Amino acid sequence: MITFAISIILLIIGYFTYGKFVERVFGVKEERPTPAYSQQDGVDYVPMGTKRNSLIQLLNIAGVGPIFGPIMGALYGPVAFLWIVLGAIFAGAVHDYLTGMISIRNKGAHLPELAGKFLGKAMKHIVNVFSVLLLLLVGTVFVSAPASLIDSIAPGWVTLGMIIAAIFIYYVIATMLPIDKVIGRVYPILGALLLISALGIGGSLIVTGAPIPELTLTNMHPEGLMIFPLLFLTISCGALSGFHATQSPIISRTTMREKNGRSIFYGMMITEAIIAMIWAAAAMSLFHGTDLSALLAAGGPGAVVTEVSITMLGAIGGTLAIIGVIVLPITSGDTAFRSARMIIADYFKIGQKKVMNRFYIALPMFAISMYLTTINFDILWRYFSWANQSTAMIALWVGAMYLILARKLHWIASIPAAFMTMVTLTYIANAQIGFGLSIEVSYIVAAIGTAVVIVLFAITAKKRLSMNLEIDEVVENHHSAA
């Protein structure tokens, strides 16, 4: 319990200290109009208040990641707490803040556009394909996961197919309509439900004096799976997640002032980390490693969510908590498809004011995603995990390059970027979905690969510094007094 309490306190302190430091390094310009005003179109560029943006951002980035990931990460034992706390403060929240703020400075640009501008044109095409693939995987995972949870509490006459169809219908509506029509109105309510359910589980842990294990660096995984690199891919949302880099630009287009960025981007990542801590602690306290492993094998993370919720909060409270968890993936799935639609539209320069233009982009995406729902969830999650952290690595390198070109302290982004490069390269070299090399060879390959990436990054930075690249887009100064 002491480790759990200290971890929560450190996360909160991190927001007020390191978060403030990152904000100072970036350099907020209050007089600069944001894209919500300079690009206002009534569809994606719509000014919205900080509280509403913060709750939408939290729901956008959360998904099942800060619940399912930590539950599976709990198999490793309390060492998972270290990654959640340190990862969120020094990597995840920095990643979210920089991608959101750099997007604001570049007219709400998405990651592929930013990668092309700061890392070279070739990276724009690579990251565009990577981002759309990731978002389709996310959207699919976030159909399958909530559908299985709803199925566990739905009446017998409601089939899994009906639930999946209903979720897809909602996704189509949310993806097509202007952001303030569905997402802007419903999300704040759903965000409150999410926070209440998480606080309910967390409060129950404290009140009941749950036997949350104290910190140890011992690997407790029942199957002996390696902490490095597997833990850093298993727990992504809640520590560091590239999916967030695809979501932050959605809110960068609705943020009213640059000074709101720390609470929206850095703050909501810290909030997500607290949710991840609660679920990791709940899984560790209620199940020993072998019991948790058996439950995961039998029913997946969703079964653990159901068991934890009912055990700690009773039938009614537990059902409400499960509903809160269901909210997470659904409210990330819709914005995953929305983000994919916006990225494709930006790439092919297709205007989005006309409904049919949105429809032509969205329809093929949903068709592909419906096919992907037929694939085993575990396989989808493995591909999602690697694609997710690879995207995070790229986004951190983009942030580092931006800071270098701005002649500011780039280490806040380049150090976690280098670390995640090593993680993702080690995983893909060793994993069966990758090259299947031995772990010893994978370490060597990843170390060489990381060194090459760092050298290439340094060469690119030197060239771009000599070009005096304009890092921030010029915008018209017609910021309304909102």
Side-chain angles (χ1 to χ4, degrees):
M1 183 64 75
I2 294 175
T3 300
F4 174 72
I6 291 175
S7 297
I8 299 295
I9 292 169
L10 286 175
L11 285 167
I12 295 170
I13 292 174
Y15 169 75
F16 289 104
T17 55
Y18 198 68
K20 189 68 176 177
F21 172 72
V22 170
E23 180 185 56
R24 192 180 303 116
V25 168
F26 182 83
V28 169
K29 296 178 182 177
E30 263 303 276
E31 72 283 358
R32 182 183 172 87
T34 62
Y37 295 104
S38 63
Q39 308 295 122
Q40 189 168 356
D41 65 357
V43 179
D44 297 317
Y45 294 88
V46 180
M48 295 195 298
T50 304
K51 290 181 180 179
R52 187 152 58 144
N53 274 331
S54 294
L55 285 173
I56 294 172
Q57 173 72 0
L58 176 61
L59 287 170
N60 284 358
I61 66 176
V64 289
I67 298 176
F68 282 21
I71 285 173
M72 292 187 287
L75 290 170
Y76 292 90
V79 69
F81 293 154
L82 274 181
W83 170 230
I84 293 172
V85 174
L86 298 179
I89 294 172
F90 296 107
V94 174
H95 166 281
D96 289 15
Y97 181 79
L98 289 178
T99 52
M101 294 304 293
I102 296 171
S103 177
I104 285 176
R105 292 282 179 86
N106 286 271
K107 298 182 179 180
H110 276 275
L111 183 60
E113 291 290 329
L114 298 177
K117 179 172 183 177
F118 295 106
L119 299 180
K121 291 183 179 179
M123 286 301 296
K124 174 182 177 179
H125 305 301
I126 294 171
V127 176
N128 198 79
V129 173
F130 220 85
S131 297
V132 173
L133 174 63
L134 171 63
L135 289 166
L136 284 176
L137 286 172
V138 168
T140 304
V141 167
F142 292 170
V143 169
S144 302
S148 65
L149 284 171
I150 294 172
D151 189 47
S152 69
I153 61 174
W157 59 269
V158 178
T159 66
L160 185 61
M162 292 167 61
I163 297 169
I164 290 175
I167 293 174
F168 267 117
I169 290 170
Y170 165 73
Y171 281 177
V172 171
I173 294 170
T175 302
M176 299 284 291
L177 290 179
I179 192 167
D180 59 335
K181 301 304 181 186
V182 176
I183 293 174
R185 293 180 181 180
V186 177
Y187 272 34
I189 299 170
L190 299 179
L193 178 60
L194 159 64
L195 292 174
I196 290 170
S197 65
L199 289 174
I201 299 294
S204 181
L205 288 172
I206 295 171
V207 171
T208 60
I212 304 171
E214 302 299 345
L215 181 62
T216 174
L217 299 181
T218 304
N219 183 358
M220 297 182 177
H221 199 288
E223 298 176 20
L225 297 182
M226 299 168 295
I227 290 176
F228 188 93
L230 296 180
L231 176 63
F232 303 96
L233 284 98
T234 302
I235 301 179
S236 52
C237 295
L240 169 67
S241 171
F243 172 62
H244 299 188
T246 69
Q247 299 303 289
S248 293
I250 294 177
I251 302 304
S252 77
R253 300 183 180 196
T254 62
T255 300
M256 297 167 69
R257 292 182 175 87
E258 284 196 359
K259 72 175 183 180
N260 300 337
R262 182 162 68 97
S263 60
I264 294 172
F265 301 118
Y266 197 100
M268 291 305 100
M269 178 62 224
I270 295 297
T271 303
E272 187 191 58
I274 292 173
I275 295 172
M277 280 294 305
I278 289 171
W279 281 99
M284 289 182 206
S285 66
L286 291 184
F287 309 100
H288 297 293
T290 51
D291 294 338
L292 178 58
S293 182
L295 187 56
L296 284 169
V304 179
V305 169
T306 302
E307 188 70 22
V308 168
S309 300
I310 300 298
T311 300
M312 304 198 74
L313 299 177
I316 296 176
T319 300
L320 290 174
I322 294 169
I323 292 172
V325 173
I326 290 169
V327 162
L328 278 171
I330 291 178
T331 53
S332 288
D334 59 5
T335 50
F337 287 115
R338 187 181 191 89
S339 184
R341 189 257 299 165
M342 292 161 67
I343 288 173
I344 294 170
D346 289 350
Y347 187 76
F348 291 105
K349 303 188 186 310
I350 302 172
Q352 294 297 281
K353 281 192 175 182
K354 294 182 179 179
V355 175
M356 290 309 296
N357 284 355
R358 291 175 241 158
F359 180 76
Y360 291 143
I361 295 174
L363 186 61
M365 292 192 309
F366 286 116
I368 294 171
S369 183
M370 288 185 73
Y371 167 73
L372 290 175
T373 57
T374 62
I375 297 175
N376 183 278
F377 178 85
D378 290 338
I379 295 174
L380 281 176
W381 187 268
R382 285 198 291 271
Y383 278 106
F384 158 71
S385 296
W386 179 75
N388 188 41
Q389 297 305 65
S390 297
T391 303
M393 173 262 292
I394 293 169
L396 283 166
W397 283 123
V398 169
M401 183 64 76
Y402 178 94
L403 293 174
I404 286 176
L405 298 180
R407 287 150 174 92
K408 295 180 178 179
L409 188 68
H410 67 87
W411 300 110
I412 60 173
S414 56
I415 290 177
F419 176 75
M420 289 311 299
T421 302
M422 182 69 185
V423 168
T424 53
L425 291 180
T426 302
Y427 178 79
I428 202 63
N430 175 251
Q432 292 304 309
I433 67 169
F435 296 99
L437 303 176
S438 69
I439 189 60
E440 293 79 13
V441 173
S442 297
Y443 286 146
I444 295 171
V445 169
I448 294 172
T450 301
V452 170
V453 169
I454 292 172
V455 170
L456 291 175
F457 177 81
I459 293 171
T460 304
K462 185 176 181 180
K463 287 181 180 179
R464 291 186 169 267
L465 278 170
S466 65
M467 294 167 58
N468 292 315
L469 180 69
E470 187 66 45
I471 59 172
D472 297 330
E473 298 287 343
V474 177
V475 294
E476 297 179 22
N477 192 6
H478 56 265
H479 189 172
S480 66

